[in-house]
Amino acid sequence: MTNTAIEASGLRKAYKDKAVLEGIDFEVPAGSVFSLLGPNGAGKTTTVNVLTTLLRLDGGSARVAGFDVASEARRVRSAIGVTGQFASVDELLTGRENVQMMADLLGRRGSEPIGPLLQRFDLEEAADRRASTYSGGMRRKLDLAMTLVGRPQVLFLDEPTTGLDPRSRRMLWQIVRDLVNDGMTIFLTTQYLEEADRLADRIAVLDQGRLVAQGSPEELKRQIPGGHVELRLAEIAGLEAAARVLPEATPDPDNLILRVPSDGGVRSLRSLLDRLDEYAVPVEEFTVRLPDLDDVFLALTGQSTTATEETEAR
Ligand code: ADP
């Protein structure tokens, strides 16, 4: 394999009249983690489906593990592994049988031995129980073990931790780190800034089929002014009053919360409180938050992710 594990150039895809990918370019060096970060509906799964040869491009080209996704699809498939949000585990089989089934399907001499694989994912004890008795986290691990049987060079993880509890999430992060240390290339899609920040060497931010930013986590964080402050008001009148005093804020009337962009520094917090005091707006709760995906989008596109979804719904 060349030193570039994935090369995407001008990727375009549309469903009927709706453009879903509008010319996307990126490169992923071998042995690194690349994260595609974006809200629901941004086009992350579509990108994964194109790169894993499940979906045909309408324009542009891509090479994975040195092979063209259109003309060398079979060779691409034998070099990659894919794990999605919806595990492809057979509930009626035990953990061991699931992994064995995958090894049989691949029918490759070079497949990973099953015992050590189960051990690596801490699934040995549960290996002979039906997968239907597994927790969500265990199922994801089993799914990943099944993917790794074929010793992929490039691993696609499509929102691998969506819906997982924090403990299982951290466990999966550690697995990803171990795989990269072993030399694997990982393409990770996520809705969580924290996840991309912790795992990725490079992050690309996807918004409605376009990349709005690309860089190392540090480079991206420099573009994001900071996190935000959440103010909880006692009643809707208070929320409206606070929103008038703080025109830069985004109100969430259902939860009586106002989201105010802020770097969390003492100066900006004091000035925020002073402005509220001046107009005698009573605040129930005041929380300083680290940047999340919404802050990234507000900084990069001038729109929050919720605003994007609303526009889409209309
Ligand atoms: P993400 O993974 O970022 O949530 P997707 O790639 O799944 O986004 O979807 C991007 C957009 O493409 C969404 O607006 C979605 O509704 C649309 N889309 C996805 N699959 C299909 C399909 N088979 N037919 C029509 N539209 C689709």
Side-chain angles (χ1 to χ4, degrees):
M1 190 164 68
T2 54
N3 283 334
T4 307
I6 307 176
E7 226 180 308
S9 166
L11 303 187
R12 288 185 179 280
K13 180 75 200 171
Y15 289 111
K16 297 207 175 112
D17 297 341
K18 188 175 184 283
V20 175
L21 299 181
E22 302 193 57
I24 288 181
D25 303 286
F26 57 83
E27 270 189 25
V28 182
S32 70
V33 182
F34 182 88
S35 176
L36 195 59
L37 176 70
N40 246 333
K44 301 185 296 297
T45 301
T46 304
T47 308
V48 169
N49 288 346
V50 160
L51 297 175
T52 56
T53 77
L54 295 176
L55 206 56
R56 253 177 201 288
L57 277 171
D58 295 332
S61 62
R63 296 182 81 79
V64 175
F67 304 116
D68 186 277
V69 293
S71 61
E72 297 172 298
R74 283 178 69 130
R75 301 184 84 166
V76 170
R77 278 182 216 158
S78 69
I80 63 170
V82 193
T83 307
Q85 205 176 326
F86 305 103
S88 53
V89 169
D90 186 330
E91 303 261 325
L92 296 177
L93 300 181
T94 67
R96 195 186 306 276
E97 287 166 346
N98 265 295
V99 182
Q100 182 65 54
M101 182 188 67
M102 192 52 89
D104 293 345
L105 276 177
L106 291 169
R108 261 193 246 157
R109 264 176 287 147
S111 73
E112 201 73 36
I114 291 164
L117 199 56
L118 290 166
Q119 200 174 2
R120 175 175 192 178
F121 287 100
D122 207 14
L123 286 170
E124 242 186 343
E125 221 169 278
D128 297 311
R129 271 180 18 213
R130 277 191 179 185
S132 55
T133 65
Y134 284 20
S135 68
M138 288 165 79
R139 232 169 269 209
R140 281 305 155 86
K141 282 199 292 186
L142 179 59
D143 194 40
L144 199 48
M146 289 164 69
T147 308
L148 295 178
V149 167
R151 293 192 169 145
Q153 292 173 49
V154 183
L155 179 65
F156 290 87
L157 297 174
D158 194 9
E159 298 199 26
T161 65
T162 295
L164 286 190
D165 59 78
R167 204 175 132 258
S168 308
R169 181 168 294 167
R170 275 197 298 275
M171 184 184 69
L172 243 145
W173 289 350
Q174 192 51 50
I175 292 174
V176 168
R177 286 194 196 101
D178 291 344
L179 291 172
V180 178
N181 284 338
D182 290 350
M184 202 173 277
T185 306
I186 296 191
F187 187 92
L188 166 88
T189 77
T190 183
Q191 297 193 38
Y192 307 116
L193 176 64
E194 189 196 357
E195 183 158 290
D197 182 20
R198 287 193 182 212
L199 295 178
D201 298 297
R202 272 186 86 74
I203 302 176
V205 183
L206 188 64
D207 180 36
Q208 301 185 61
R210 282 173 211 239
L211 291 185
V212 291
Q214 222 182 130
S216 68
E218 281 63 38
E219 283 165 349
L220 277 185
K221 278 191 286 188
R222 250 180 267 136
Q223 292 183 46
I224 308 162
H228 60 276
V229 169
E230 259 177 30
L231 303 175
R232 202 156 56 78
L233 288 306
E235 53 197 42
I236 193 76
L239 183 77
E240 285 164 4
R244 274 195 299 277
V245 177
L246 307 166
E248 74 275 31
T250 316
D252 170 4
D254 293 341
N255 298 305
L256 294 176
I257 283 176
L258 196 67
R259 217 183 137 98
V260 194
S262 164
D263 61 8
V266 175
R267 238 168 215 257
S268 67
L269 293 180
R270 184 170 295 143
S271 109
L272 180 65
L273 289 172
D274 285 349
R275 280 152 80 196
L276 291 166
D277 259 358
E278 197 182 321
Y279 292 91
V281 180
V283 173
E284 287 264 297
E285 209 176 283
F286 185 95
T287 322
V288 181
R289 301 254 185 223
L290 292 171
D292 60 18
L293 188 58
D294 241 12
D295 294 309
V296 176
F297 273 79
L298 207 57
L300 295 176
T301 68
Q303 259 196 336
S304 76
T305 57
T306 33
T308 313
E309 277 156 27
E310 276 160 20
T311 323
E312 218 166 65
R314 254 182 258 137

